Structures are given as C-alpha cells and as structure tokens.
DNA sequence: CGGCCTATTGAACCGGGTCAAGGTATGTGG
DNA sequence: CCACATACCTTGACCCGGTTCAATAGGCCG
C-alpha cells in the first residue's frame, strides 16, 4: 500500500487527477521529507533539481538583491506544488516558514512522469495559470498601494487563506480570529515594507478599533467592513 | 491552404508543437483580427471568452484600483499567448499598445482543442511557468527598487527585448539604440512610478552620460556598464 | 532573575509624489 | 505659411509617507 492512500492532500494536490494505479507509480518516484521552520529546500539561481507537493506547513518563495534586500514572491500552502519543472534554472528560493512536510521528486523523474500523464500536466497548467493571476494581482498592491492598504489587504487575505488549516475548500467563510504564520519581518518582506511600518500600521488599526491584537501572533478582526475600506 | 502557412509566428507561438494537420484544425476555430493602438480586447473582471496569440505589435495586461490607479502587470510581444483559458474570470485587461494583429479563439473552442492536444497544453504550461518566473522577478523591482534602479532595469530589459522586432530568438545581443514602444505614462504604469519621476530619472541618466535621448521615443545606451550598475 | 529575541515607539530625514508652470513636437485651419 | 490647439514631456518647488536610526518594552526560557 502506498503512503499516498493516507495522504491528507491526496484529493487536493495535483495528484487528485490520477487514478490509484497512477498514484502508485508517482509514489514510486517520490519520497516524503520533513522540513524544520527556516530550513531551505531550493536555492535561487541553482539548476532546478527538485519539485514537490506541500503536504503540511507553509513555505515561502523569495528573491533578493545582492545588497540584501529580500522580497517574498509567493507563499505555498498544503496541496500547493513547488519548484520549477521542465529543465530551467530555479529563479526563487524555497524555504520553510513553519515545520513542514513535503512530497519530493527529482525534477527529471517528475518531468518524465508528467510527460506521460497529460491529465497531470493539465492540472498543473490550471494551477499555474491561477497562481499567475494571483501574482499579478499582488503586483498592483506592491506598486500602488499605501502601507495602510497593504497591511489591511494582507490581513484580509490571511483571514480567508487560513480557513481550516490545510483545507482550502472554497465557500468557507473567512476567519475573524487567527494566528499569523509570519513574523513582522516576514510580513514586511511580503508587502514590500519595513518591519517598523508594518508594526505602526497594525497599531493604528488596533487603536482605531478595527482589529484586536491579543498577542504577537494572533489577530482578531473586530470591524471587517472598516478593514475592507482600509484595503482600498 | 490555411493562413497559418504564412504566419510569421508559426514557429515561435504555441502552434509550433502542432503538425500541419493539427494547425489546420486550429486554424478552423480561430480568426485574425487587427487592433488599433489603444483598443482593448479583454476587460478586467469579465468572464473569459477570448484567448489569442499575438502575431504582430504589443499589448499590455493591466489592473487598476477603483480610484483610478493603474498598474501594467505584463506586456505581450509577438508569439505570446494572451487571455485566460480554462473557464475562469479574466482578472486583467488586455489593451493594444501599438497597432497589432492577433489570432483569436473563442475560449471554449480553444479549451476543447487544447484538451485534445496534450502537446499544446504542455507548451502552454512551459510558457506559463516562464511567465510566472518573470512576473515574480518583477515583484522584487516593484517592491524594493529605487526609482533610479527601476528605470535603469527597464531600459536594459527593453534593450534585450526589442532585438529584431518580432524575433525573440535567444542568443541575439541586446540593442544599444532603440525606440521605446511606450509613452512616459506607460513606463510609469509598468514601474509603479509617476510620469515625472520617470522623466527625471531619464534626464539624470542622460546628464551623467549613461544614455542618450535623441528624441522622445528613442534611447541610446552609451555606457552599458554604468547602466547595469544603476540597475542594482 | 537575567539574557535574548522580537515587537513597539519615537525622532529625524529623504525619496518620490503632488501641484504647477513651461517646453516641444505634431497637427489644423485660416 | 503661420497662428493656434493639442498632446506629451520636462523642470521646479514643496510636502508627506515611509525609511532609517535609536531607544524601549514584552515574551520566553535558561
């Protein structure tokens, strides 16, 4: 029996389009791997050798300039696919934000398997198109929104992303209370802001009664409408 | 004889993976269309009904906020694929920047055709992955680079993109003199800057002898190394 | 309790936005 | 052919949001 049978993301990851025989074959070329928070899996600029499905935890995709400025260009949640298939250079680092578990493949093995399973490639194509849309939307935020709008938008995004940890079923309503899976520094790296600005905006929203901050990781949305208005 | 036989992008667009019989079939569901500069083809937020290959000219993908701020999130060149296949809402407008010619498909027809031709889907997947990489790289620029770095990066990008109009064969060396296909306003919308800041940075680079500006559309790179240094 | 790490707060500065005034091409009609 | 209009670009002065630098405050664990 393959370990995929008990996989919590079996029906949400790209594997969902495969029948049990195919999933068995895919299982044969993959392996599980646990990552600790902060551990890197893929480094920017290296040749692409690994791809993976996220089973549990969260990872960041990031780039940086030589002089140390960093930007998080994406966040991978359970069931997301990470890495760069089809023989290119990996242009972004992948690092675990929390302890995480992934289902890992050698890129070459995965490429070959994908080539033999068009349904898998189509699934991956759909995901990639959706991810591209989301990434482009984020560009508007990075380029044009004020710090207040950025932070408000981010909190709203988190409140709908974090519905049922590891369960991204659409239709669930957003949370009004959740723990941020990011440090202030990481929030800054996502929004293109400094840690101080993030902190100030959070304090401001708290002072205005829009959100509550019970402790440094928790967020409570007290006035969703006001938060949406702040998001621009 | 199908009009694809004489198509200038026949061997560079996604059609390149199809044999002549398949291309004939694809031609049967598509049609040519000419666009004037400024003409919109797809509107943000609408249901996705059209997809297309760019044959000639350039188009922009853009989003905006309700209060009128705009951001260009991508530029499509000849042989690029535009539109959102697979039944989603189009999240970005597509507008011709120059007079342009496209090869247009009803999204439903294209989806079906693609479903029957895995090689086409794989080609599209590869392109989409590459586009996602490029888009993510651009996020670093938008979020973290200074106005000077943005403008310098933009000029370098143009100098390599505009090699042989409509010919993106890799390996060609970048141009040292070219006409910008964008107005200052559009450059601002790409870089997340105001028109004034773009203008000032261009003037600055000119004053420092890094570039020449023979007229309002033309750019001459006089000191590529200095320009690269400015790009950060 | 003390050490360490992260977050908050404060003060000063500055890059780029904003507002406003010219400049420079192109076209248009007298 | 010139006067004028229009669109786009450049330049200047000012100002503000967000960064920078620096100090303080909380949590957490020994």
């Amino acid at each position: 029996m393959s370990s995929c049978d008990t996989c919590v993301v079996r029906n949400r990851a790209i594997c969902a389009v495969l029948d049990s025989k195919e999933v068995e074959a895919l299982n044969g070329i993959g392996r599980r791997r646990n990552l600790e928070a902060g551990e890197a899996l893929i480094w920017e600029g290296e040749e692409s050798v690994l791809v993976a499905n996220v089973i549990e935890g969260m990872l960041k995709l990031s780039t940086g300039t030589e002089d140390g400025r960093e930007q998080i260009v994406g966040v991978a949640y359970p069931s997301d696919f990470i890495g760069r298939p089809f023989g290119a250079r990996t242009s972004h680092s992948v690092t675990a934000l929390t302890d995480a578990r992934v289902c890992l493949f050698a890129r070459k093995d995965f490429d070959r398997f994908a080539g033999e399973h068009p349904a898998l490639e189509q699934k991956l194509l759909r995901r990639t198109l959706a991810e591209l849309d989301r990434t482009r939307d984020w560009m508007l935020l990075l380029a044009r929104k004020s710090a207040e709008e950025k932070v408000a938008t981010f909190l709203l995004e988190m409140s709908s992303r974090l519905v049922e940890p590891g369960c991204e079923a659409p239709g669930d309503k957003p949370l009004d209370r959740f723990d941020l899976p990011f440090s202030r520094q990481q929030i800054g790296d996502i929004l293109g802001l400094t840690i101080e600005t993030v902190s100030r905006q959070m304090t401001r929203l708290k002072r205005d009664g829009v959100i509550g901050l019970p402790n440094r990781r928790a967020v409570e949305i007290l006035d969703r409408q006001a938060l949406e208005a702040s998001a621009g």
Side-chain angles (χ1 to χ4, degrees), chain A:
Chain A
M1 168 177 136
S2 97
S3 57
C4 296
D5 295 337
T6 57
C7 179
V8 291
V9 297
R10 168 72 177 87
N11 294 308
R12 292 183 293 127
I14 52 172
C15 324
V17 294
L18 302 176
D19 64 33
S20 59
K21 206 175 134 203
E22 291 169 324
V23 112
E24 181 77 21
L26 184 60
N27 187 52
I29 60 170
R31 64 180 195 280
R32 303 297 180 91
R33 167 130 172 235
N34 292 313
L35 297 168
E36 284 176 26
E39 196 177 345
L41 182 64
I42 294 172
W43 286 264
E44 181 177 359
E46 281 195 352
E47 203 198 333
S48 173
V49 291
L50 293 176
V51 300
N53 281 311
V54 180
I55 298 171
E56 200 185 307
M58 300 175 42
L59 300 92
K60 66 172 180 181
L61 316 190
S62 59
T63 354
T65 54
E66 288 122 36
D67 59 330
R69 288 171 284 180
E70 173 166 334
Q71 181 62 35
I72 294 181
V73 296
V75 177
Y77 297 82
S79 86
D80 282 350
F81 180 84
I82 52 181
R84 180 62 160 92
F86 304 117
R89 213 147 271 285
T90 324
S91 53
H92 312 98
S93 302
V94 179
T95 313
L97 289 171
T98 61
D99 289 346
R101 189 155 78 254
V102 298
C103 180
L104 210 59
F105 305 94
R107 201 217 76 219
K108 269 167 44 180
D109 294 341
F110 180 86
D111 283 359
R112 186 168 24 73
F113 185 89
E116 292 160 358
H117 296 82
L120 187 71
E121 282 192 339
Q122 196 196 54
K123 181 84 176 172
L124 194 52
L125 174 56
R126 286 166 182 258
R127 268 173 187 266
T128 308
L129 286 165
E131 185 62 28
L132 182 56
D133 278 350
R134 235 178 292 123
T135 303
R136 283 174 167 160
D137 282 341
W138 207 248
M139 293 175 83
L140 179 66
L141 172 139
L142 290 178
R144 297 296 188 184
K145 290 199 175 181
S146 67
E148 180 184 2
E149 292 173 316
K150 284 181 177 181
V151 170
T153 306
F154 172 78
L155 292 175
L156 289 169
E157 162 106 7
M158 281 299 103
S159 109
S160 46
R161 272 278 194 176
L162 295 176
V163 178
E164 283 299 295
C167 169
E168 210 183 335
D172 288 344
K173 51 172 162 310
L175 295 171
D176 281 334
R177 196 177 192 300
F178 53 87
D179 281 349
L180 288 173
F182 305 105
S183 70
R184 293 289 187 269
Q185 181 60 61
Q186 286 162 349
I187 297 173
D189 288 342
I190 290 172
L191 296 175
L193 296 172
T194 59
I195 184 172
E196 294 94 331
T197 302
V198 173
S199 182
R200 276 188 254 271
Q201 294 302 329
M202 300 273 263
T203 311
R204 196 170 167 299
L205 288 169
K206 178 184 174 185
R207 175 172 52 68
D208 296 349
V210 179
I211 62 170
L213 298 170
N215 65 59
R216 56 177 57 182
R217 285 283 171 145
V219 175
E220 196 170 0
I221 298 180
L222 301 173
D223 184 347
R224 181 170 291 268
Q225 218 169 352
L227 192 59
E228 278 161 359
S230 294

